Amino acid sequence: MDAYDPTPADRFSFGLWTVGNPGRDPFGEAVRPVLKPTELVKKLAECGAWGVNLHDNDLVPFGASAKERDTLVAEFKATLEDCGMVVPMATTNLFSHPIFKDGAFTANNPRVRAFALKKTLASIELGVELGAKIYVFWGGREGVECDACRDPRTAIARMRDALDFLCEYVKDRRYDLVFALEAKPNEPRSDIYMPTTGHMLHLISTLAHPEMVGVNPEVAHENMAGLSFVHAVAQAMEAKKLFHIDLNAQKIGRYDQDLRFGSEDLKQAFLLVRLLEGTAGGEPYRGPLHFDSHAYRTEDFDGVWEFARGSMRTYKLLKARAAEFDADPEVRQLVAEKRDPKLEPLLRGFSRDKAKQLAALELDASAVAREGLRYERLDQLLTEHLLGVR
Ligand code: DIG
Ligand code: MN
Ligand code: MN
């Protein structure tokens, strides 16, 4: 036991599909047996996790009878209770069954779109019954290979219709539930609609009930788009739309690896934890910290629990490093905001007078251009804190 052991106060969660991943990939069969959901819950509790998330079919097999569903749910709830675990988030599997081969909410066949809504309504009921407060939508099949098959604007409108319908269902049932939209640029489809968190933030602004819809950014997915995950998360936080987050790691330019958090770009992981924890002074993120990732295919179950423990431990190690970095007097001095009480009032809130003052501004551009920003020193300090020598 040490200061980096996870506690429920850390709000760490894992999906059943993460630690339950049997190691199958497009080129090879499963390498691990599939554990029952109740066994996964018990092991996650032993590792120190706070919550467990699920797709409907992670717990209730597709086509199960109502009686089978109720038995599985009762058993799962009893195990959650015994282990003191919660279900912070639930979601629908709208990507495995072949019916969704052309998408779910955006599919060209209205019968598919109706079935997707039906399945999601039932899955929302399951999530609410398990106590979930956040409902994630990852549109893994909402995309194309043959782009001539539909006008992309039609796909956007269909997505909006489905989300508006489901928001109104939740409001009608008076559920304490918000939606979080998860973007991914490709895989399994050649191009997935609304491919980044930025696209999702815009889509939310066009919905009938934008106040109950936020985003669930994932490290690997923004990296697959070649974008800064830290900036995507920061924009979501600034818009008060970071309702959930999927933590993992990813090597640039590869398929969705869903690697253990911090196992690739440690500097970006550090900057992400610094942002989420608000150690530099900004408003922190207080939602669940979900690891949407899985162990290497090389691993047995010892390796799977090593993966789970490592995910949480790395987050807490980086949280401590970020606090030390932002408490470092030299760092604070380098990042301190430059003030100019005379000029700052001119920078926001237009007035004719301010425009006149700006037009009359006397400023030696070359002298300002010659000023050094000392970011080399700042970045070296980050490296030294990260390597534990400061
Ligand atoms: C993949 O990144 C997706 C699915 O695993 C799930 O629908 C969502 C929830 O975290 N992430
Ligand atoms: Mn992923
Ligand atoms: Mn995810």
Side-chain angles (χ1 to χ4, degrees):
M1 281 292 276
D2 67 13
Y4 308 111
D5 286 333
T7 69
D10 296 314
R11 312 183 315 280
F12 291 135
S13 64
F14 290 83
L16 285 175
W17 69 91
T18 65
V19 287
N21 183 302
R24 185 175 296 111
D25 69 24
F27 306 100
E29 286 313 307
V31 296
R32 296 183 287 266
V34 176
L35 295 185
K36 283 176 61 184
T38 48
E39 290 170 294
L40 294 170
V41 169
K42 288 172 191 162
K43 288 299 289 183
L44 280 172
E46 281 172 30
C47 291
W50 161 72
V52 59
N53 301 325
L54 72 160
H55 301 83
D56 48 350
N57 299 137
D58 296 335
L59 178 63
V60 182
F62 187 94
S65 69
K67 190 168 178 322
E68 286 161 345
R69 175 235 184 256
D70 292 348
T71 306
L72 287 164
V73 171
E75 189 191 15
F76 190 66
K77 282 163 83 170
T79 307
L80 289 168
E81 178 81 22
D82 294 347
C83 297
M85 294 277 278
V86 294
V87 175
M89 177 273 274
T91 182
T92 326
N93 185 322
L94 293 175
F95 44 86
S96 294
H97 194 285
I99 188 172
F100 300 123
K101 62 191 177 186
D102 182 36
F105 298 137
T106 63
N108 278 1
N109 185 337
R111 294 168 70 200
V112 174
R113 302 203 299 271
F115 185 74
L117 274 177
K118 168 191 167 69
K119 193 170 195 285
T120 304
L121 291 171
S123 184
I124 285 174
E125 290 299 324
L126 172 63
V128 168
E129 185 174 346
L130 294 172
K133 296 281 184 283
I134 300 161
Y135 202 83
V136 161
F137 291 81
W138 172 59
R141 300 280 178 200
E142 310 294 9
V144 284
E145 289 75 39
C146 167
D147 231 329
C149 75
R150 69 178 74 89
D151 183 327
R153 291 168 295 183
T154 304
I156 294 166
R158 288 173 182 165
M159 181 64 80
R160 180 182 304 117
D161 290 346
L163 291 171
D164 284 349
F165 185 100
L166 293 164
C167 279
E168 278 155 29
Y169 176 79
V170 166
K171 291 168 78 73
D172 181 56
R173 306 280 293 186
R174 289 184 172 61
Y175 289 152
D176 176 14
L177 194 68
V178 292
F179 289 173
L181 309 185
E182 179 174 346
K184 187 175 174 182
N186 60 68
E187 189 197 349
R189 300 305 297 266
S190 178
D191 283 291
I192 297 179
Y193 297 120
M194 279 64 80
T196 73
T197 294
H199 290 85
M200 289 296 189
L201 287 170
H202 175 264
L203 175 71
I204 291 167
S205 72
T206 71
L207 298 178
H209 305 283
E211 72 288 349
M212 60 185 284
V213 187
V215 290
N216 175 43
E218 178 176 310
V219 176
H221 300 176
E222 298 299 321
N223 274 277
M224 286 169 72
L227 299 173
S228 162
F229 185 68
V230 171
H231 293 187
V233 170
Q235 184 165 358
M237 292 173 84
E238 204 271 343
K240 305 217 179 316
K241 289 294 181 184
L242 187 65
F243 286 12
H244 196 261
I245 193 166
D246 276 2
L247 300 171
N248 54 24
Q250 175 74 24
K251 279 187 177 183
I252 194 78
R254 289 165 177 77
Y255 60 91
D256 188 8
Q257 295 177 297
D258 292 339
L259 297 169
R260 186 182 77 259
F261 179 66
S263 63
E264 284 306 324
D265 190 337
L266 211 44
K267 181 173 173 180
Q268 284 302 309
F270 169 84
L271 291 165
L272 173 66
V273 172
R274 181 175 184 237
L275 175 71
L276 293 173
E277 295 300 324
T279 54
E283 180 67 22
Y285 164 70
R286 294 188 171 83
L289 292 166
H290 175 229
F291 297 101
D292 185 6
S293 39
H294 51 77
Y296 301 133
R297 188 166 182 263
T298 53
E299 301 308 287
D300 59 10
F301 277 112
D302 288 346
V304 169
W305 306 117
E306 197 52 52
F307 147 81
R309 281 192 291 270
S311 300
M312 297 183 281
R313 187 168 179 79
T314 297
Y315 188 98
K316 294 196 76 167
L317 284 165
L318 292 174
K319 181 175 172 180
R321 288 276 186 273
E324 287 154 16
F325 177 73
D326 283 310
D328 183 324
E330 193 178 349
V331 169
R332 293 169 72 88
Q333 189 258 327
L334 287 167
V335 300
E337 188 158 349
K338 292 183 178 22
R339 307 314 308 241
D340 185 324
K342 215 161 123 309
L343 276 184
E344 284 175 62
L346 304 185
L347 304 180
R348 69 181 73 82
F350 167 80
S351 74
R352 288 180 183 169
D353 177 52
K354 288 183 184 180
K356 252 169 74 184
Q357 289 185 58
L358 287 167
L361 182 64
E362 294 285 318
L363 180 140
D364 179 348
S366 314
V368 175
R370 282 193 296 275
E371 288 169 13
L373 282 301
R374 304 200 65 218
Y375 292 167
E376 282 291 344
R377 178 64 185 154
L378 177 60
D379 201 70
Q380 178 62 24
L381 287 172
L382 186 160
T383 300
E384 298 196 8
H385 275 276
L386 206 45
L387 296 177
V389 295
R390 276 279 301 188

